[in-house]
Amino acid sequence: MSHTLGVVGAGNMGSGIAQKIAAEGFDVVLVDVDDERVARGLGAIERTLGEAVARRVMSADAAAAARARVHGTSRLEELADADVVIEAVFEDRGLKQDVFRRLDTICRHDAILATNTSSFLVADIASVVKRPARVLGLHYFYHPAKNHLVEVIAGPGTDPDVYRRAWALQEALRKIPIASRDAYGFIVNRYFVVWMMEAVRMLEERLANEATLDAVTKAAFAIGMGPFELMNVTGIPIAFHASTTIGRGYGPMYGPPERLRQQLESGELWPLDGEIDGGVHDRVVERLMAITFLVAAALVDEGVGSREDTDLGARVGLRWSAGPFELMNQQGTARSLALASALATKWNMPIPPSLARAGQSNSPFPMALVRSEVRNGIATLTIDRPDAMNALNEAVVAQLDEAFRKAADDAHVTGIVIAGAGRSFVAGADVRFFVRHIEHADVDGIERFTERAQNLLLEIDNCPKPVVARIHGLALGGGVELALACDYIIAAPGASLGFPETGIGIYPGLGGTQRTTRRIGLGLTKWLVETGQVISAGEALAIGLIDRVVPHEELDVAAAGLITSGPVRARQAAPVPPSHASLAAFFGANDVERIRLGQAETNGDDRLVAAMKAVGTKAPIALRLAATLVDEGATVPLADGLRMELAHLREVFATKDALTGLSSIGRSRPVFEGR
Ligand SMILES: NC(=O)c1ccc[n+]([C@@H]2O[C@H](COP(=O)([O-])OP(=O)(O)OC[C@H]3O[C@@H](n4cnc5c(N)ncnc54)[C@H](O)[C@@H]3O)[C@@H](O)[C@H]2O)c1
């Protein structure tokens, strides 16, 4: 996307949003009222980028490039060419409306205008412009360059296409979007602010002091800061303002307690150094759970957001260890209903019907891990575990299987698109699942899962309707294997693909050693599988691993275009491009063991030397099995090759290297012993 984005307001949020946009490679114009405030915003960006360099999450070059993409100005007119403008001025309705009126006259007629308001409705803001169809809410969370969550809110008149474009832009910015209806507090603040107010109420009732309430809350929700410390950091006025506006929408239970007003008027922060009273633990936790459950179930029943997005908002935006619905399922819905009912009686609030139903039978809330949407005859199946990078596990495979069959059997569906939610396509299989099974000496479980997933991929492969893999972000291991089962693979320019398995002690077991060869030939398949090299979308296109690279926003249109060209009947392996001829020849001709030991002839070719070195760090048994599977699989029908992949699973998962490698993820690089 050759986009220019605009951000209005260079304060805490605006500067952070602009920083994120620039860090993801887009140009951004950042506007504030005068040069001094612009400079302050740019200074904040520089500081945060500097911190990222110091923590080594970003290179100095990347930080400098990001900084150079931000243009600061005090002239709103400089947004005349922007494609998307995000407003983040003070939380003042009149001021925001004024900014939107001005943007309406300045910006291109096809520009998208978004507000980052926390407590007003998108409708209030869209009502002042001549193009309400192009207005929506993009509600980011502090710090917007670090917190991945964004709520995407359609106003009453937002054009669905504008909404989809804004959503795709969030993916391109590597955010995790959730969909909220235009309602006070949207999804997350609705339960989060009232949760904070309940803590203040317990203080008001002298049930516990601030230190106790913070300590209990931190432990119960596995979070870094309790409600009082959090208010001290983010501002007591903001908490007061948020609860006041949400309270106006939903009633006094949501509004600020008198004790909060007193604290606000005192101008002091909450004192956090009181003595901790362990005796009230259970009562405090019950109160906080009760309010969270009551409000979360109410907002879902009202259609403000889905259960899945409500939970995702808590995990990603608030960094709770589990969202409200997962907490209810953990505690049992009967107990959750009892807790919420007591609170509902106190405030004379209705009991949400879904909670009443689940609680009466004590059955868990079902949680969807795959979203299905049919539009214009195309079914899009989105794997929706974005905070786990959509990793495949038993539940995901089962749900994807069900959704796929339904779409395949639906006479109104002409083609199917498989996609991932959030920042990635699919980052592989769920490694924790493997580790758990190895530790319990249950390789049978791994075999069952692999077979089930292989069968799903075969179903995709054999589907008479065209199937497109829509890749953005990471597609690793099982992610690439899932894509390879589709007729077409399209990717956004920022996507990356690879087979990291041999570097974590295993081999690709969902067709990676089979279907890859059928797409790109033996030599390059071995190169990818043996080195674990992660390649860009551009390189994947060059070697024929994928079919098309299109700008992120155009992925859906491109997928629809390919669907009209029908399924692919028989695929020939792509010819090796000259750029990769030496790699293909090297890996095609040399025995993997010689490469691993650094004994293959490279003729001083730097790329081959580097590739050989990479192979030297991989798990020896996994490497040998992977190479054999590629070789032998190339001479037999696909189904036989897949059976071979399955047949060697026990051997590889029984190795010490598999446990070492799989447990190493997120830690230092594993050292393999070859056993
Ligand atoms: N702080 C948070 O945690 C948070 C989280 C989500 C959303 N929000 C929302 O984001 C918005 C901004 O919040 P913030 O915390 O960044 O506030 P802030 O006070 O840090 O920054 C607001 C900025 O807007 C500028 N501004 C005011 N009028 C302007 C105008 N006419 N043109 C251009 N700039 C103007 C101000 O000079 C200031 O720099 C608010 O709507 C807030 O509710 C805040």
Side-chain angles (χ1 to χ4, degrees), residues 325-529:
F325 288 93
E326 198 181 337
L327 288 171
M328 284 191 260
N329 285 349
Q330 282 169 10
Q331 309 228 340
T333 49
R335 178 175 144 77
S336 304
L337 172 62
L339 287 174
S341 299
L343 195 74
T345 307
K346 175 175 161 192
W347 290 100
N348 199 17
M349 298 292 274
I351 295 173
S354 66
L355 178 54
R357 269 196 309 276
Q360 275 150 16
S361 55
N362 197 24
S363 41
F365 285 104
M367 303 298 284
L369 302 170
V370 175
R371 264 188 284 129
S372 303
E373 188 198 11
V374 180
R375 204 157 44 86
N376 302 332
I378 296 176
T380 301
L381 315 182
T382 306
I383 302 175
D384 198 7
R385 283 218 308 157
D387 51 338
M389 293 207 274
N390 305 319
L392 303 176
N393 62 17
E394 285 170 304
V396 171
V397 167
Q399 290 193 20
L400 185 58
D401 197 4
E402 195 187 322
F404 189 83
R405 280 169 199 262
K406 204 165 152 223
D409 292 343
D410 184 340
H412 301 293
V413 168
T414 54
I416 301 168
V417 177
I418 300 181
R423 294 152 57 86
S424 307
F425 178 63
V426 172
D430 193 330
V431 169
R432 276 175 315 183
F433 165 83
F434 288 148
V435 171
R436 229 179 16 250
H437 278 76
I438 296 178
E439 283 174 350
H440 290 93
D442 180 15
V443 184
D444 283 351
I446 295 178
E447 215 170 45
R448 273 196 308 274
F449 163 73
T450 310
E451 190 170 6
R452 175 117 205 233
Q454 274 200 358
N455 287 340
L456 164 65
L457 268 52
L458 270 173
E459 239 175 86
I460 296 175
D461 225 342
N462 296 331
C463 179
K465 296 178 183 176
V467 186
V468 180
R470 174 202 187 277
I471 296 184
H472 74 287
L474 285 179
L476 297 179
V480 184
E481 294 174 297
L482 171 61
L484 286 167
C486 301
D487 293 288
Y488 301 100
I489 307 177
I490 59 172
S496 19
L497 301 90
F499 288 111
E501 283 90 343
T502 54
I504 51 171
I506 57 175
Y507 61 76
L510 301 181
T513 65
Q514 306 300 313
R515 291 192 181 89
T516 318
T517 324
R518 287 158 174 81
R519 273 236 176 202
I520 60 173
L522 197 91
L524 288 182
T525 297
K526 286 175 127 181
W527 165 59
L528 286 177
V529 170

